[in-house]
Short mmCIF file of all heavy atoms in Angstrom, two decimals:
data_model
loop_
_atom_site.label_atom_id
_atom_site.label_comp_id
_atom_site.label_asym_id
_atom_site.label_seq_id
_atom_site.Cartn_x
_atom_site.Cartn_y
_atom_site.Cartn_z
N ASP A 28 0.82 -1.22 0.00
CA ASP A 28 0.00 0.00 0.00
C ASP A 28 0.85 1.27 0.00
O ASP A 28 0.42 2.31 -0.51
CB ASP A 28 -0.93 0.00 1.22
CG ASP A 28 -1.93 -1.14 1.15
OD1 ASP A 28 -2.23 -1.57 0.02
OD2 ASP A 28 -2.40 -1.60 2.21
N LYS A 29 2.05 1.22 0.58
CA LYS A 29 2.87 2.43 0.71
C LYS A 29 3.97 2.54 -0.35
O LYS A 29 4.75 3.49 -0.31
CB LYS A 29 3.50 2.47 2.10
CG LYS A 29 2.46 2.56 3.23
CD LYS A 29 3.13 2.63 4.59
CE LYS A 29 2.10 2.73 5.71
NZ LYS A 29 2.72 2.81 7.05
N VAL A 30 4.05 1.58 -1.26
CA VAL A 30 5.09 1.64 -2.30
C VAL A 30 4.56 2.49 -3.46
O VAL A 30 3.35 2.66 -3.63
CB VAL A 30 5.47 0.23 -2.80
CG1 VAL A 30 5.95 -0.62 -1.65
CG2 VAL A 30 4.28 -0.44 -3.49
N PRO A 31 5.45 3.02 -4.29
CA PRO A 31 5.02 3.84 -5.44
C PRO A 31 4.09 3.06 -6.37
O PRO A 31 4.17 1.83 -6.48
CB PRO A 31 6.34 4.19 -6.13
CG PRO A 31 7.37 4.07 -5.05
CD PRO A 31 6.91 2.98 -4.15
N PHE A 32 3.26 3.82 -7.07
CA PHE A 32 2.25 3.21 -7.94
C PHE A 32 2.91 2.36 -9.03
O PHE A 32 2.42 1.27 -9.36
CB PHE A 32 1.39 4.30 -8.57
CG PHE A 32 0.37 3.77 -9.53
CD1 PHE A 32 -0.83 3.22 -9.09
CD2 PHE A 32 0.62 3.81 -10.91
CE1 PHE A 32 -1.75 2.72 -9.99
CE2 PHE A 32 -0.31 3.32 -11.81
CZ PHE A 32 -1.49 2.77 -11.34
N ASP A 33 4.01 2.84 -9.62
CA ASP A 33 4.67 2.11 -10.69
C ASP A 33 5.19 0.76 -10.20
O ASP A 33 5.08 -0.25 -10.89
CB ASP A 33 5.83 2.93 -11.27
CG ASP A 33 5.33 4.18 -12.00
OD1 ASP A 33 4.14 4.20 -12.36
OD2 ASP A 33 6.14 5.12 -12.18
N THR A 34 5.80 0.78 -9.00
CA THR A 34 6.32 -0.47 -8.44
C THR A 34 5.18 -1.44 -8.14
O THR A 34 5.28 -2.65 -8.39
CB THR A 34 7.09 -0.18 -7.13
OG1 THR A 34 8.12 0.77 -7.39
CG2 THR A 34 7.70 -1.45 -6.58
N ARG A 35 4.09 -0.91 -7.61
CA ARG A 35 2.93 -1.74 -7.32
C ARG A 35 2.39 -2.38 -8.60
O ARG A 35 2.05 -3.57 -8.63
CB ARG A 35 1.85 -0.90 -6.65
CG ARG A 35 0.66 -1.69 -6.16
CD ARG A 35 -0.44 -0.76 -5.66
NE ARG A 35 0.09 0.29 -4.80
CZ ARG A 35 -0.63 1.29 -4.33
NH1 ARG A 35 -1.93 1.40 -4.66
NH2 ARG A 35 -0.10 2.21 -3.54
N ALA A 36 2.33 -1.58 -9.67
CA ALA A 36 1.82 -2.09 -10.94
C ALA A 36 2.73 -3.19 -11.51
O ALA A 36 2.25 -4.18 -12.08
CB ALA A 36 1.69 -0.95 -11.95
N MET A 37 4.06 -3.03 -11.33
CA MET A 37 4.99 -4.05 -11.80
C MET A 37 4.81 -5.36 -11.06
O MET A 37 4.87 -6.45 -11.66
CB MET A 37 6.43 -3.53 -11.64
CG MET A 37 6.82 -2.41 -12.60
SD MET A 37 8.50 -1.80 -12.30
CE MET A 37 9.44 -3.30 -12.51
N ILE A 38 4.60 -5.26 -9.75
CA ILE A 38 4.41 -6.47 -8.95
C ILE A 38 3.12 -7.19 -9.36
O ILE A 38 3.10 -8.42 -9.55
CB ILE A 38 4.37 -6.12 -7.45
CG1 ILE A 38 5.73 -5.60 -6.99
CG2 ILE A 38 3.97 -7.35 -6.63
CD1 ILE A 38 5.74 -5.10 -5.56
N MET A 39 2.04 -6.44 -9.51
CA MET A 39 0.77 -7.04 -9.91
C MET A 39 0.87 -7.66 -11.30
O MET A 39 0.30 -8.74 -11.55
CB MET A 39 -0.33 -5.99 -9.87
CG MET A 39 -0.56 -5.34 -8.50
SD MET A 39 -1.13 -6.51 -7.24
CE MET A 39 -2.85 -6.67 -7.71
N GLU A 40 1.60 -7.00 -12.20
CA GLU A 40 1.77 -7.53 -13.54
C GLU A 40 2.61 -8.80 -13.53
O GLU A 40 2.35 -9.75 -14.28
CB GLU A 40 2.42 -6.48 -14.44
CG GLU A 40 2.60 -6.94 -15.88
CD GLU A 40 3.29 -5.87 -16.74
OE1 GLU A 40 3.61 -4.80 -16.19
OE2 GLU A 40 3.49 -6.13 -17.94
N HIS A 41 3.64 -8.83 -12.68
CA HIS A 41 4.52 -9.99 -12.60
C HIS A 41 3.75 -11.24 -12.20
O HIS A 41 4.01 -12.34 -12.74
CB HIS A 41 5.64 -9.71 -11.59
CG HIS A 41 6.52 -10.91 -11.34
ND1 HIS A 41 7.45 -11.35 -12.26
CD2 HIS A 41 6.60 -11.75 -10.27
CE1 HIS A 41 8.07 -12.41 -11.77
NE2 HIS A 41 7.58 -12.68 -10.57
N TYR A 42 2.81 -11.09 -11.28
CA TYR A 42 2.03 -12.25 -10.82
C TYR A 42 0.72 -12.42 -11.59
O TYR A 42 -0.07 -13.31 -11.27
CB TYR A 42 1.72 -12.11 -9.33
CG TYR A 42 2.92 -12.34 -8.44
CD1 TYR A 42 3.62 -11.26 -7.93
CD2 TYR A 42 3.36 -13.61 -8.14
CE1 TYR A 42 4.74 -11.45 -7.11
CE2 TYR A 42 4.45 -13.82 -7.33
CZ TYR A 42 5.14 -12.73 -6.82
OH TYR A 42 6.24 -12.94 -6.02
N GLY A 43 0.48 -11.59 -12.59
CA GLY A 43 -0.71 -11.73 -13.41
C GLY A 43 -1.98 -11.27 -12.76
O GLY A 43 -3.09 -11.56 -13.24
N LEU A 44 -1.87 -10.50 -11.65
CA LEU A 44 -3.06 -10.05 -10.93
C LEU A 44 -3.68 -8.80 -11.54
O LEU A 44 -4.71 -8.33 -11.06
CB LEU A 44 -2.69 -9.78 -9.46
CG LEU A 44 -2.24 -11.01 -8.66
CD1 LEU A 44 -1.87 -10.61 -7.25
CD2 LEU A 44 -3.32 -12.09 -8.65
N ASP A 45 -3.05 -8.28 -12.60
CA ASP A 45 -3.63 -7.13 -13.27
C ASP A 45 -4.58 -7.55 -14.40
O ASP A 45 -5.23 -6.71 -15.01
CB ASP A 45 -2.52 -6.25 -13.86
CG ASP A 45 -1.67 -7.00 -14.88
OD1 ASP A 45 -1.54 -8.25 -14.74
OD2 ASP A 45 -1.13 -6.36 -15.80
N ARG A 46 -4.66 -8.86 -14.66
CA ARG A 46 -5.52 -9.36 -15.72
C ARG A 46 -6.97 -9.42 -15.26
O ARG A 46 -7.25 -9.43 -14.04
CB ARG A 46 -5.07 -10.76 -16.17
CG ARG A 46 -3.59 -10.87 -16.49
CD ARG A 46 -3.14 -9.89 -17.52
NE ARG A 46 -3.84 -10.09 -18.80
CZ ARG A 46 -3.80 -9.27 -19.82
NH1 ARG A 46 -3.10 -8.13 -19.71
NH2 ARG A 46 -4.44 -9.54 -20.92
N PRO A 47 -7.92 -9.43 -16.17
CA PRO A 47 -9.34 -9.55 -15.78
C PRO A 47 -9.61 -10.82 -14.97
O PRO A 47 -8.92 -11.83 -15.11
CB PRO A 47 -10.07 -9.60 -17.13
CG PRO A 47 -9.13 -8.93 -18.09
CD PRO A 47 -7.75 -9.26 -17.62
N VAL A 48 -10.61 -10.74 -14.13
CA VAL A 48 -10.93 -11.86 -13.23
C VAL A 48 -11.22 -13.14 -13.99
O VAL A 48 -10.71 -14.21 -13.64
CB VAL A 48 -12.13 -11.49 -12.33
CG1 VAL A 48 -12.52 -12.67 -11.45
CG2 VAL A 48 -11.81 -10.29 -11.47
N MET A 49 -12.04 -13.07 -15.01
CA MET A 49 -12.42 -14.27 -15.74
C MET A 49 -11.23 -14.89 -16.46
O MET A 49 -11.14 -16.11 -16.59
CB MET A 49 -13.55 -13.95 -16.73
CG MET A 49 -14.85 -13.51 -16.08
SD MET A 49 -15.43 -14.68 -14.81
CE MET A 49 -15.66 -16.16 -15.77
N GLU A 50 -10.33 -14.05 -16.92
CA GLU A 50 -9.12 -14.58 -17.57
C GLU A 50 -8.25 -15.33 -16.55
O GLU A 50 -7.74 -16.42 -16.82
CB GLU A 50 -8.33 -13.44 -18.21
CG GLU A 50 -7.08 -13.90 -18.94
CD GLU A 50 -6.33 -12.76 -19.57
OE1 GLU A 50 -6.97 -11.73 -19.90
OE2 GLU A 50 -5.09 -12.87 -19.74
N ARG A 51 -8.09 -14.72 -15.38
CA ARG A 51 -7.32 -15.39 -14.33
C ARG A 51 -8.01 -16.67 -13.86
O ARG A 51 -7.36 -17.66 -13.56
CB ARG A 51 -7.11 -14.45 -13.14
CG ARG A 51 -6.08 -13.37 -13.42
CD ARG A 51 -5.72 -12.61 -12.17
NE ARG A 51 -6.72 -11.62 -11.82
CZ ARG A 51 -7.35 -11.56 -10.66
NH1 ARG A 51 -7.08 -12.44 -9.73
NH2 ARG A 51 -8.24 -10.62 -10.44
N PHE A 52 -9.34 -16.62 -13.81
CA PHE A 52 -10.10 -17.80 -13.39
C PHE A 52 -9.91 -18.96 -14.39
O PHE A 52 -9.67 -20.10 -13.98
CB PHE A 52 -11.58 -17.46 -13.27
CG PHE A 52 -12.46 -18.64 -13.08
CD1 PHE A 52 -12.47 -19.33 -11.87
CD2 PHE A 52 -13.28 -19.09 -14.11
CE1 PHE A 52 -13.29 -20.44 -11.69
CE2 PHE A 52 -14.09 -20.20 -13.94
CZ PHE A 52 -14.10 -20.87 -12.73
N ALA A 53 -9.99 -18.66 -15.67
CA ALA A 53 -9.82 -19.70 -16.69
C ALA A 53 -8.41 -20.29 -16.63
O ALA A 53 -8.23 -21.51 -16.75
CB ALA A 53 -10.10 -19.12 -18.08
#
């Protein structure tokens, strides 16, 4: 929560958590 937005976005992208829910579900 306290890290910069860009770093947060990179982490979420690395683990695929930025993808749509249904895509991650499939």
Side-chain angles (χ1 to χ4, degrees):
D28 296 334
K29 297 181 180 180
V30 302
F32 177 80
D33 293 341
T34 305
R35 186 187 314 174
M37 290 177 58
I38 294 174
M39 300 296 283
E40 182 181 0
H41 174 74
Y42 288 99
L44 296 178
D45 60 331
R46 310 304 299 170
V48 176
M49 295 308 299
E50 182 180 333
R51 286 190 281 124
F52 170 72

